[in-house]
Amino acid sequence: MKRIQTFSAMVLVVTLFLIFFYSSLHLETTHSHRAEREDLLKHPNLQVHDPDMKTQSSKQDNFTTPHPDVHSVSVSDGFRQSIPQNGAYWNRLLYSALRNLDIGVNPLRHDSDLSPCREINQELLQTNVHDITSYPVLFHNFLQGMNCKSAPVLINQPNKCIFSEGEGDNQTFLLFAIKSTPGNFEQRQAVRETWGREGVYQSRSRVRTVFLLGTSSLDDPDLGPLLSFEANHFGDLLQWDFRESFLNLTLKMNMFLQWKLKNCPHVSFVFSGDDDVFVNTPALLSYLQSLEPSKVSQLYVGHIINTASPLRDPKSKYYIPLSFYDGPYPAYAGGGGFLISGALLQPLYSVSHVIPFFPIDDVYTGMCCNALGVSPEAHTGFQTFDVKEEDRENLCVHKDLILIHQRSPRQMKRLWKGIHNPLLTC
Ligand SMILES: *[C@@H]1O[C@H](CO)[C@@H](O)[C@H](O)[C@H]1NC(C)=O
Ligand SMILES: *[C@@H]1O[C@H](CO)[C@@H](O)[C@H](O)[C@H]1NC(C)=O
């Protein structure tokens, strides 16, 4: 009996020892794993593979961030003069970034862009924005994430712009970068069957198309398998792991720039626009081909909004609180659809490391172009506020234009067929 007791006691001691030993071992590995990660974070140029980070898809590839050329960034005087220096949060962030730029501090040193992103903490926000509690929830979310200038890739198209048999060189004349959302299957299909069809037009201009997606809310049905199928079938989806939201469109644009600089470096022009606009692709290409050589690398054209100011109605989609931004908007091209030279995208990406993210994407692009000293150019062929009511079915009006906002998938197909009808005389 005594022997059994001694034996059980020994087993207990050994078990306890083993439990203690293993748990300390585990603690040590997680600890060194953390330390290693923190170490990596201090060297943002190293790529961090974070196994704890949730990825929704195994498609995650070895995506590396292209390097912003921050040493060559300079911000125009025109831009500095157009943005007042005052107490609003964004204005303060901008002037703090400009002061750093002017004394030669590398903006990337404090930038979360090249490392996994951290949300700005509540206390810091409350200290800096006195009335933040009155901000709408989505705006609050934007503020928390506004230093997150990068998101993991879920669906990629690394070979989008690579030469394949019989296609000629790798040069893409026009890349359609279309802002879509996961559920907009029908819109995307209508675009593919009409103005966004990929191919070689007028026997010399190669056109390629990508749709830009974030993720839908967890409360929505899981569209993952459908999107995977669509991506494999058409090869034109790009998806990143951030929540679809109007206020996240600046992040979407930035992710597209990263992707483009890495995967489609040789693009003459990029069209950025929505999936519910109608584009007259032949007219668009003729316009681009007729450009003077001096304009080819400096193009930023569309429907220009010249003298806009922030909307202060909290119910508006475009609401900007006064304590967040105080000042007019620089002239910008309406985000429904505009054209920009491929050559401008690297400088644009670089300057976006200095200019803080702004929640309205087209205003932000306008700010960055203004900072680069590039002025938007107005073109009457871009109608982002639609044409007169009585002209909405008029094929000749559409044949003359380049872009019209907004058309349903069915209208898109009808108009496309219509403007290509040989019987049409305008
Ligand atoms: C296109 O790019 C691929 C990959 O970068 C390269 O291997 C190929 O030679 C290029 N083709 C042409 C025609 O330049
Ligand atoms: C933008 O996406 C991030 C990452 O998913 C999310 O945390 C944030 O709430 C989103 N912002 C808005 C305004 O919805």
Side-chain angles (χ1 to χ4, degrees), residues 143-396:
L143 272 177
Q144 277 179 316
M146 78 184 270
N147 279 354
C148 294
K149 298 191 168 185
S150 201
V153 195
L154 297 176
I155 297 177
N156 196 3
Q157 306 295 341
N159 299 324
K160 187 79 203 174
C161 291
I162 291 178
F163 165 84
S164 62
E165 228 42 66
E167 274 194 338
D169 60 19
N170 289 321
Q171 188 75 32
T172 300
F173 185 67
L174 173 66
L175 177 63
F176 280 117
I178 304 163
K179 294 176 276 183
S180 190
T181 54
N184 282 3
F185 297 101
E186 204 184 351
Q187 277 90 337
R188 288 195 289 278
Q189 192 56 25
V191 170
R192 286 185 192 106
E193 291 179 10
T194 59
W195 57 268
R197 192 165 54 84
E198 299 192 308
V200 178
Y201 287 70
Q202 297 149 5
S203 67
R204 53 187 167 143
S205 306
R206 170 158 297 284
V207 173
R208 302 187 203 255
T209 299
V210 284
F211 294 95
L212 318 177
L213 308 176
T215 57
S216 33
S217 148
L218 289 176
D219 296 334
D220 288 329
D222 178 15
L223 301 178
L226 295 178
L227 292 176
S228 294
F229 173 81
E230 189 185 358
N232 286 333
H233 193 79
F234 295 107
D236 57 10
L237 295 193
L238 297 175
Q239 189 186 30
W240 296 276
D241 192 6
F242 64 81
R243 181 72 45 81
E244 260 323 325
S245 152
F246 177 69
L247 301 182
N248 264 342
L249 287 180
T250 300
L251 176 59
K252 188 177 271 188
M253 181 65 175
N254 208 51
M255 292 318 296
F256 165 71
L257 290 182
Q258 278 191 13
W259 178 86
K260 186 267 170 204
L261 294 173
K262 178 171 195 270
N263 297 290
C264 281
H266 309 294
V267 170
S268 309
F269 301 99
V270 168
F271 169 95
S272 164
D274 294 332
D275 63 1
D276 60 354
V277 297
F278 179 77
V279 179
N280 182 346
T281 307
L284 177 60
L285 292 170
S286 304
Y287 164 72
L288 289 175
Q289 278 151 356
S290 70
L291 285 174
E292 290 163 31
S294 64
K295 273 205 187 156
V296 167
S297 62
Q298 293 290 309
L299 193 75
Y300 173 40
V301 68
H303 172 204
I304 305 310
I305 297 143
N306 264 312
T307 49
S309 292
L311 294 185
R312 304 301 189 188
D313 172 9
K315 288 195 280 299
S316 163
K317 174 180 173 189
Y318 303 98
Y319 172 57
I320 298 293
L322 185 63
S323 63
F324 177 76
Y325 177 71
D326 188 2
Y329 291 151
Y332 65 96
F338 63 86
L339 285 167
I340 189 160
S341 299
L344 281 177
L345 298 190
Q346 174 70 59
L348 194 67
Y349 181 65
S350 300
V351 85
S352 77
H353 290 78
V354 177
I355 318 275
F357 268 15
F358 196 81
I360 303 178
D361 65 321
D362 46 7
V363 172
Y364 185 70
T365 303
M367 287 172 163
C368 290
C369 283
N370 189 343
L372 296 173
V374 176
S375 309
E377 189 182 326
H379 190 303
T380 50
F382 290 75
Q383 297 284 331
T384 53
F385 294 149
D386 212 338
V387 290
K388 289 195 299 256
E389 186 89 45
E390 63 266 30
D391 289 338
R392 294 199 180 154
E393 303 282 323
N394 186 330
L395 289 175
C396 285

